[in-house]
Amino acid sequence: MKFAFIPYTLRFRFKAITSRSIMTEKTTYFIVAYDDNCSERFGVGECALFKGLSDDDRPDYEERLRGFCADTSADISNFSSIRFGVETAINDLANGGRRVIFPSKSLDENRPVKINGLIWMGDKDEMTARIRKKIEDGFHCLKLKIGGLDFDEELKIIKSIRDTYSTDVLEIRLDANGAFSPSDA
């Protein structure tokens, strides 16, 4: 099995605000596992590094990724995103290179997998509009990035959602990305 990686820049359609930074783009790395016997057959995985947020955000990241592709015995044990990308590329290749990491009944029957609608930080009006749009789009679980506004404002947003939608209708998840100290959390 041989490996290669492809850097790819994702450009956001809006400012993606986290508790630590504002992102307008994100570089990600796709790692490709090639079958030694058939170069047209390959599996793909993503090494999803988030600059400023991931433990993997180190100056030697790309060097380590390049090193692994050249020599699969290279140590990537301290790079969880690279390990994840390699494992998913290998699984995809093992499943025929069909961009299937783990076969499942949902995929075989073309049933959608239930996921949460991500609500990026913004001001109260932006977040409220995003929440409304995700609910209109059929999401029954919202994951709100919090920690960027005044905490009381964020609580008002969460309360307004819960006043409108019961726990039977809508699940709310919060993602503070380290915005609070352990004692405040």
Side-chain angles (χ1 to χ4, degrees), residues 1 3 31-33 43-47 65 68-69 72 76 79-93:
M1 188 176 313
F3 292 89
I31 190 159
V32 183
V44 179
E46 182 182 3
C47 304
L65 186 53
F68 174 81
C69 290
T72 58
I76 56 170
F79 292 84
S80 61
S81 65
I82 295 175
R83 287 194 333 266
F84 180 82
V86 169
E87 290 173 17
T88 54
I90 290 170
N91 282 351
D92 181 29
L93 179 60

Side-chain angles (χ1 to χ4, degrees), residues 3-22:
F3 292 89
F5 75 93
I6 304 160
Y8 185 80
T9 301
L10 302 166
R11 297 192 193 327
F12 290 89
R13 289 179 275 175
F14 56 89
K15 289 181 180 176
I17 303 171
T18 73
S19 60
R20 298 184 200 169
S21 68
I22 297 173

Side-chain angles (χ1 to χ4, degrees), residues 12 21 30 32-33 45 66 85 114 135 150 154:
F12 290 89
S21 68
F30 292 104
V32 183
R66 186 175 290 107
K114 292 180 182 176
I135 292 169
D150 173 72
E154 290 176 332

Side-chain angles (χ1 to χ4, degrees), residues 106 111-117 138-141 171 173:
S106 291
R111 287 186 288 143
V113 176
K114 292 180 182 176
I115 61 170
N116 58 257
F139 286 91
H140 298 284
C141 177
E171 180 179 341
R173 297 177 181 170

Side-chain angles (χ1 to χ4, degrees), residues 17-21 121-123 127 145-151 153-154 175-176 179-180:
I17 303 171
T18 73
S19 60
R20 298 184 200 169
S21 68
M121 288 181 189
D123 65 34
M127 290 183 74
K145 291 204 168 275
I146 62 166
L149 296 177
D150 173 72
F151 187 63
E153 278 299 305
E154 290 176 332
D175 180 353
F180 306 113

